[in-house]
Amino acid sequence: MRQKIVVGNWKMNKTYKEAVSFMQDFKLFVRDINNVEMVIAPPYTLLNYLKNEVNGTNIKVAAQDVFYEEKGAFTGEISPKMVKDFAEYVIIGHSERKKYFGETNQIINKKIKAALQTGLKVIFCLGESFEERNQGNTKTVVETQLREGLANITIVEMGSVVIAYEPVWAIGTGNTATPEQAEEIHIFLRQLVKDLYNEETSLNIRIIYGGSVNPNNATNILKMPNIDGCLPGGSSLDPGSLTHIIKSFS
Ligand code: PGA
């Protein structure tokens, strides 16, 4: 049985004060939930606070990105080792990193490798654009992203990877993929993992969906057999909405 997982991606949102107010409510709301893995991905500036705040709860912390070098003259960057002090997970390959910061599949692969070697668990994002889907290229695109992103990642390391299918056209747009559209790609990705690794890995890996997930559509998306969780962005900023999404599993 794959444990369900919900990862709230705060993106570039929340000051310290706002995070404190969120956590006051959220910790209360989810204190009895233990059948879903709950992860919050705050900006770097809040990792230290979050780490202390979730101590003794079921809530875990993720960073939103990481650099692949271990240390040195890389102004503005954060290494996997630095993240490891505060977080169990790291999101890698988010489409906003590709769009605004020029991340390629090769860069993403280096980041995934470095993070896994440091002992971080990775939430590896991939997904097609609107044009790519319209041209009928969704599967080719996600296949290339998966193969290149996971190049040289071993079968053992795959035990620490979560794949997040996030169609770019669904992110922050309110246009969520239908449960059937998402499920089709999740099945395809699981089959690819089987081809690249083995059946056990493909059955164990969690594949989650991201893109305009909200309290109203979560139940229908999350009931699909190959969707093991979700990665809400906008809806994760409000403690009530995020809790509602997490509770959609029960
Ligand atoms: P959204 O973001 O829920 O605001 O669409 C999802 C994501 O980018 O991870």
Side-chain angles (χ1 to χ4, degrees):
M1 260 298 270
R2 299 184 290 267
Q3 199 198 3
K4 307 291 185 192
I5 176 169
V6 175
V7 184
N9 176 12
W10 282 359
K11 309 193 180 187
M12 197 175 75
N13 291 291
K14 293 202 193 291
T15 60
Y16 171 70
K17 260 191 172 169
E18 289 164 347
V20 170
S21 146
F22 176 99
M23 287 307 288
Q24 268 166 2
D25 289 341
F26 186 63
K27 273 177 32 172
L28 272 182
F29 294 168
V30 300
R31 76 185 152 187
D32 295 327
I33 296 178
N34 44 33
N35 58 341
V36 179
E37 194 173 0
M38 301 179 283
V39 186
I40 296 206
Y44 290 133
T45 47
L46 293 168
L47 283 176
N48 189 17
Y49 161 69
L50 253 279
K51 181 203 168 176
N52 291 315
E53 190 62 21
V54 302
N55 201 3
T57 73
N58 284 331
I59 307 163
K60 295 175 179 173
V61 180
Q64 296 174 13
D65 185 32
V66 71
F67 194 48
Y68 48 76
E69 292 290 348
E70 206 183 311
K71 60 178 173 182
F74 302 101
T75 302
E77 291 299 326
I78 311 273
S79 78
K81 238 180 162 173
M82 294 168 177
V83 167
K84 186 85 192 341
D85 281 341
F86 304 104
E88 184 172 330
Y89 281 93
V90 59
I91 297 173
I92 296 180
H94 193 280
S95 68
E96 285 149 18
R97 298 295 316 168
K98 294 183 187 144
K99 180 173 171 195
Y100 300 115
F101 305 98
E103 282 195 13
T104 61
N105 294 343
Q106 287 65 36
I107 292 174
I108 290 164
N109 175 244
K110 283 167 91 168
K111 290 184 171 188
I112 293 176
K113 191 79 192 166
L116 291 170
Q117 282 175 342
T118 311
L120 285 163
K121 295 177 184 166
V122 168
I123 299 152
F124 166 33
C125 302
L126 46 77
E128 82 287 3
S129 68
F130 182 72
E131 294 73 29
E132 288 163 343
R133 175 164 282 265
N134 270 352
Q135 289 158 4
N137 292 333
T138 298
K139 288 184 178 168
T140 326
V141 169
V142 296
E143 174 165 355
T144 305
Q145 290 173 336
L146 188 96
R147 283 179 184 276
E148 296 185 356
L150 295 179
N152 300 315
I153 303 303
T154 66
I155 204 161
V156 174
E157 289 171 330
M158 282 300 279
S160 299
V161 175
V162 173
I163 297 171
Y165 170 55
E166 298 210 300
V168 181
W169 48 271
I171 296 176
T173 58
N175 290 325
T176 183
T178 64
E180 294 73 23
Q181 277 174 327
E183 174 75 0
E184 183 191 359
I185 303 305
H186 283 228
I187 291 172
F188 177 71
L189 293 169
R190 204 176 293 288
Q191 180 61 44
L192 267 175
V193 171
K194 185 178 168 189
D195 297 345
L196 288 171
Y197 295 91
N198 61 17
E199 178 156 32
E200 194 188 343
T201 308
S202 79
L203 291 174
N204 287 336
I205 194 156
R206 290 177 295 176
I207 307 180
I208 65 177
Y209 169 81
S212 296
V213 174
N214 62 43
N216 297 322
N217 60 28
T219 311
N220 279 337
I221 294 170
L222 297 177
K223 73 177 180 215
M224 304 310 277
N226 282 285
I227 300 184
D228 305 309
C230 61
L231 181 46
S235 293
S236 74
L237 296 173
D238 174 71
S241 300
L242 184 58
T243 305
H244 195 119
I245 292 170
I246 292 166
K247 288 190 171 166
S248 307
F249 279 114
S250 11

